Structures are given as structure tokens and as C-alpha cells.
């Protein structure tokens, strides 16, 4: 017990947990995630218990989902302009009010589409704005060398909330109805907002110079408000889109992997379970998916950073592809559960690897917009993926769909290794502005090193 206590104190005194703002963020995330799952249980129960039925539920969910996808790019732009923390705080305040109104509506009677649709639109738009902003906060709180563990711990907290939230939400709805569960969700957003208001980023701590320094900084500020003016201005978002080969590769991989994954999990897996495992078996598989993701985050948190993250990314993709392909052929429920768990461990670890790569590589002023592109690739493929999966499962059957999807995931990442910008990427490498014509400035430099190491350019031939 003494040794365990000492390890706990050491963890709090070093790494990401040493940052007070990061600890506050984890507390806010846990509160918000548990509340989200209470909402996920309460809303369908509220609608299906009335006269609306599945049609009304589908319409309300569409009113939520479409604004969320549409506002993700806007969230990235706003987060880069004003900072991730204030954007997240504002989104949480809006969501607390909107869900609070929904809780009151639920307590006063059966809600109608006219009442539910505007609330769903506000919640979806706020969520879309919140998502890219949330990826900018960790780089503002933690040193680059702590980002990998920080992302892993943050993901772990969300997954723990995903395990606790449905149980809490189901118990609340069963005992008291949908209204109190929605009130808990509204309260969780309020708690998250209070936590965000108390967080101070490293930039906040540094932005307390003397009056003389402030005056000097004001005179040196450029048109974009960055100290030092154009001399210190980083690459533009347009330049990054044109020349950021690493971003191009990751976006393509995200598109292919999510096209393969979403339909497999949302359509093929329930169909496979329905054919021979039953509802209980399907629940077991979903639980394994959640527990495997949590285990993957734990592994990522305890792992040391690797010099070549692209190769780790590729190895994990091969494991994911093989595990997913084997699900229908592993010998019934027990074998399928093991395969799903292995897939989720590798997937959880891989997600943290790629998010950390992008957070370190992307200039801080562009992280919101870059992550909004990645989130669009992840979320925007969902309707296409499930539609294709429905057609494929109908004509191929559920079982053959798994090896097709597994092969697509593995091949997408293995093909990415043919791209030099991805294959030669090293941990800690940052993107910087391209040199002007005839110049000698590099395209990327490793964090903390001189600006002379290897070049990365989208114009060079890919070997």
C-alpha cells in the first residue's frame, strides 16, 4: 500500500497530472460525459414513451446530427481565433441552458417536434463548435512531451464516463423518469463550464507582463495581433492545406478507416449477433468494445513515446484489421468478444497516437481548424458508411463484411507508409512555413531542435 501511495504521489507531481489545469479538465470531462450518457438514455425514452415513436426520434436525432457536422469547421475557426477554452466554456453554458429547458419541458408533459427540434438544433450546433475547440486545450495546458500521456488520460476519463453514464442514466429514468436524468445532464454541463472558467492555460500564465512590456508588445504586434508582427507569423491555414502532406495522408486514412468501421459496428455487428448470439451477446460485444478502448488508453498512457509513430500506427492498424476480420470466424460469442476487445485495444491506442502526432505537428494557431477537418472526416463518413454497410450486409451477409472491412483498414494504413511524409515522420516534429522561392528555410523541424534537420515538402517525390 505504501508503494502504491508513493507511485500515486509521484504521478501527481510529474507529467500531465502535475498541471492543475489538466486535473480540472479531467474532472469536467468526467462530469460532462456521465451527463451525456444520461441524456442518451433519457431522450429516446422520453420520445418513445409518448406518441411520437421512432419517426419522431429519428427526426430529432437528425436535427441534432446535421447542425453538429455543419458547425465543426466553424468551431475550428472560432477556437483558433479566440482560444479553445472560452469557446468550450460558451458551448457548455449554451448546452446547460438548452438541456435545462428540455428537462422542464419533459416534466410538464409530452414534448412535441416543435419543442424538441429547436433544442436539438442548438445542442447539435454547440457540440459541433465544442469538438474542435476541445482538441486545442491540451496543447495549451501541457508541454509537448506530455501530450501523449495527457491524451491517453483524457480518453480514459471519457471511457470511464461511458461505462458509468448509461447505468446511472438508466437507473434515473427507471426510478424518476426522463426529466431528472435530463436535469443531471444540464447540471453536468454547468459543472464543466465552472471548471473551464477556473482553468488557466500556460498562455494565460505568461500573459501577465509588466506595463512596460505590454506597451512594447503592443508596438510590435502585427495585424493579426501576434507579438512580433509578420516576422513571427506562422504558416497560414491555406498553406498548410496545400503543402501539409502529413495532414493529407492522415485525412485519407481517417476517411477509409471510418467508412469501414462505422458500418461494420453499427450494421454488420448487430446483424451477426442477431443471427446467433442474441441481445445479451450483442450487449457483451459492445461492452468488450468499451472495455477494450479503455485498455488501449491505459496502454498508451503507460507507453513511452516512440521515435517513429507512423510505424506504430501501421502495426496497430494491421492488428485492428486482423481482429475485425476474425470476429465472425472465431468460434461463437467468446471468440468474437476476444476479437472485438483486441480490435478496441489497438484502436484506442492508435487514436491517441494520431491525435498526438497532429497536435505536435500543427502550428498552435491552426490546431482548431486542422482538428475540425479530421473530425469531419470521422463524423461525415457515418451516413455513407452505414448505408453502404446495409447494402453490403444484405447482399454479402454479415460475416463476409468483416474481412472486407478489416482488409480496408489495414491496407489504408499500409499504403500510407508509401508516402514519405508519413513514413519518415518523427515524434516531436513540427510543421513550419515553407521557404520562399530560392530560400533555404525548412518545411518541418523537430520540436526543440535547430532549424537545420531534414526537410518535408509536399512537392518532393514520394518514395
Amino acid at each position: 500500500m505504501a508503494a502504491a501511495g508513493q507511485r500515486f504521489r509521484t504521478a501527481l507531481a510529474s507529467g500531465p497530472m502535475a498541471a492543475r489545469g489538466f486535473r480540472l479538465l479531467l474532472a469536467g470531462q468526467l462530469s460532462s460525459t456521465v451527463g451525456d450518457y444520461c441524456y442518451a438514455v433519457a431522450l429516446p425514452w422520453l420520445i418513445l414513451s409518448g406518441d411520437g415513436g421512432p419517426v419522431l426520434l429519428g427526426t430529432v436525432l437528425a436535427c441534432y446530427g446535421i447542425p453538429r457536422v455543419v458547425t465543426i469547421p466553424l468551431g475550428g475557426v472560432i477556437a483558433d481565433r479566440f482560444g479553445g477554452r472560452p469557446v468550450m466554456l460558451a458551448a457548455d453554458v449554451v448546452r446547460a441552458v438548452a438541456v435545462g429547458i428540455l428537462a422542464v419541458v419533459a416534466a410538464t408533459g409530452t414534448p412535441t417536434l416543435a419543442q424538441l427540434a429547436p433544442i436539438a438544433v442548438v445542442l447539435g450546433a454547440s457540440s459541433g463548435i465544442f469538438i474542435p475547440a476541445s482538441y486545442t486545450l491540451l496543447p495549451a495546458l501541457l508541454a509537448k512531451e506530455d501530450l501523449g500521456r495527457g491524451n491517453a488520460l483524457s480518453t480514459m476519463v471519457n471511457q470511464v464516463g461511458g461505462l458509468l453514464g448509461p447505468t446511472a442514466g438508466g437507473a434515473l429514468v427507471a426510478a424518476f423518469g426522463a426529466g431528472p436524468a435530463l436535469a443531471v445532464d444540464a447540471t453536468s454541463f454547468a459543472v464543466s463550464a465552472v471548471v473551464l472558467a477556473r482553468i488557466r492555460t500556460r498562455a494565460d500564465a505568461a500573459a501577465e507582463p509588466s506595463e512596460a512590456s505590454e506597451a512594447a508588445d503592443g508596438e510590435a504586434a502585427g495585424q493579426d495581433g501576434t507579438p512580433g508582427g509578420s516576422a513571427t507569423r506562422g504558416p497560414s491555414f491555406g498553406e498548410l492545406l496545400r503543402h501539409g502532406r502529413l495532414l493529407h495522408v492522415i485525412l485519407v486514412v481517417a476517411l477509409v478507416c471510418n467508412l469501414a468501421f462505422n458500418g461494420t459496428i453499427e450494421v454488420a455487428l448487430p446483424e451477426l449477433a442477431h443471427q446467433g448470439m442474441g441481445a445479451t451477446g450483442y450487449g457483451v460485444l459492445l461492452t468488450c468494445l468499451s472495455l477494450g478502448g479503455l485498455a488501449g488508453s491505459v496502454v498508451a498512457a503507460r507507453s513511452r513515446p516512440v521515435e517513429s509513430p507512423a510505424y506504430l500506427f501501421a502495426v496497430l492498424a494491421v492488428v485492428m484489421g486482423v481482429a475485425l476480420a476474425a470476429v465472425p470466424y472465431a468460434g461463437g460469442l467468446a471468440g468474437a468478444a476476444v476479437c472485438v476487445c483486441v480490435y478496441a485495444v489497438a484502436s484506442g491506442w492508435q487514436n491517441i497516437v494520431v491525435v498526438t502526432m497532429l497536435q505536435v505537428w500543427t502550428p498552435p494557431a491552426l490546431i482548431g481548424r486542422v482538428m475540425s477537418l479530421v473530425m469531419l472526416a470521422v463524423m461525415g463518413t457515418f451516413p455513407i458508411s452505414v448505408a453502404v454497410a446495409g447494402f453490403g450486409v444484405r447482399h454479402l451477409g454479415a460475416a463476409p463484411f468483416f474481412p472486407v472491412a478489416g482488409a480496408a483498414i489495414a491496407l489504408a494504413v499500409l499504403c500510407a507508409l508509401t508516402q514519405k511524409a508519413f513514413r519518415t515522420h518523427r515524434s516531436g516534429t513540427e510543421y513550419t512555413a515553407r521557404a520562399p522561392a530560392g530560400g533555404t528555410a525548412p518545411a518541418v523541424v523537430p520540436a526543440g531542435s535547430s532549424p537545420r534537420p531534414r526537410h518535408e515538402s509536399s512537392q518532393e517525390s514520394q518514395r
Side-chain angles (χ1 to χ4, degrees):
M1 291 294 292
Q6 180 60 38
R7 287 196 297 270
F8 180 73
R9 288 190 293 271
T10 301
L12 290 180
S14 62
M17 292 300 292
R20 177 178 178 272
F22 180 70
R23 298 195 301 270
L24 287 172
L25 177 63
L26 294 186
Q29 280 184 304
L30 181 60
S31 168
S32 182
T33 303
V34 170
D36 285 345
Y37 279 96
C38 289
Y39 173 88
V41 174
L43 180 66
W45 195 268
L46 174 66
I47 293 174
L48 296 176
S49 297
D51 299 327
V55 174
L56 178 58
L57 177 59
T59 303
V60 172
L61 292 178
C63 289
Y64 173 87
I66 293 172
R68 184 176 69 163
V69 173
V70 170
T71 55
I72 284 176
L74 176 62
V77 173
I78 295 174
D80 287 340
R81 176 66 180 85
F82 298 103
R85 186 181 65 85
V87 173
M88 294 167 66
L89 194 158
D92 274 348
V93 169
V94 171
R95 290 190 289 183
V97 173
V99 179
I101 293 173
L102 181 58
V104 172
V105 170
T108 56
T110 302
T112 64
L113 178 61
Q115 295 171 312
L116 293 172
I119 295 174
V121 168
V122 170
L123 288 174
S126 299
S127 178
I129 290 173
F130 181 94
I131 289 170
S134 66
Y135 286 97
T136 70
L137 188 53
L138 252 63
L141 291 172
L142 302 177
K144 292 185 184 295
E145 59 269 21
D146 290 329
L147 272 178
R149 288 183 61 200
N151 280 313
L153 291 169
S154 175
T155 303
M156 285 170 55
V157 166
N158 286 337
Q159 289 163 337
V160 168
L163 292 173
L164 299 176
T167 303
L172 279 171
V173 171
F176 305 107
L182 292 170
V184 168
D185 187 31
T187 303
S188 75
F189 282 126
V191 170
S192 179
V194 170
V195 167
L196 287 167
R198 296 185 61 189
I199 289 176
R200 294 177 72 251
T201 65
R202 292 185 298 162
D204 293 332
E208 298 176 353
S210 64
E211 292 183 4
S213 296
E214 289 179 348
D217 288 345
E219 293 174 359
Q223 292 180 350
D224 61 351
T226 301
S230 59
T232 60
R233 183 178 298 172
S236 67
F237 184 56
E239 178 188 329
L240 194 69
L241 287 181
R242 291 191 300 271
H243 306 302
R245 188 69 173 183
L246 180 68
L247 177 59
H248 301 161
V249 174
I250 289 176
L251 284 173
V252 171
V253 170
L255 281 168
V256 174
C257 289
N258 282 278
L259 277 170
F261 169 77
N262 288 322
T264 304
I265 297 300
E266 298 293 338
V267 179
L269 188 64
E271 175 62 19
L272 182 72
H274 186 265
Q275 291 173 1
M277 302 175 191
T280 301
Y282 181 53
V284 168
L285 294 178
L286 292 183
T287 300
C288 288
L289 195 65
S290 297
L291 291 175
L294 178 59
S297 301
V298 172
V299 172
R302 297 179 64 87
S303 299
R304 295 180 180 179
V306 296
E307 178 66 17
S308 300
Y311 287 97
L312 174 59
F313 190 82
V315 169
L316 292 172
V318 171
V319 172
M320 290 162 58
V322 172
L324 193 62
V327 167
Y329 311 105
L333 177 59
V338 170
C339 291
V340 167
C341 192
V342 170
Y343 174 90
V345 171
S347 177
W349 190 356
Q350 188 195 61
N351 288 339
I352 291 164
V353 170
V354 72
V355 167
T356 304
M357 283 173 62
L358 285 175
Q359 286 175 329
V360 173
W361 177 81
T362 306
L366 303 178
I367 289 178
R369 279 165 283 186
V370 166
M371 294 310 301
S372 71
L373 281 180
V374 177
M375 290 301 101
L376 274 179
V378 171
M379 297 180 180
T381 57
F382 183 86
I384 301 172
S385 178
V386 293
V388 171
F391 180 82
V393 169
R394 178 179 179 182
H395 291 276
L396 298 176
F401 200 79
F402 286 82
V404 171
I409 291 172
L411 288 175
V413 181
L414 291 178
C415 288
L417 287 177
T418 66
Q419 302 298 303
K420 185 178 179 182
F422 182 74
R423 184 178 69 249
T424 63
H425 180 79
R426 295 294 179 265
S427 179
T429 300
E430 300 174 1
Y431 183 93
T432 57
R434 297 191 60 194
T440 58
V444 292
V445 296
S449 68
S450 69
R452 291 182 294 174
R454 63 189 175 278
H455 292 234
E456 178 187 287
S457 171
S458 61
Q459 302 303 314
E460 63 186 318
S461 61
Q462 304 296 317
R463 297 196 299 270

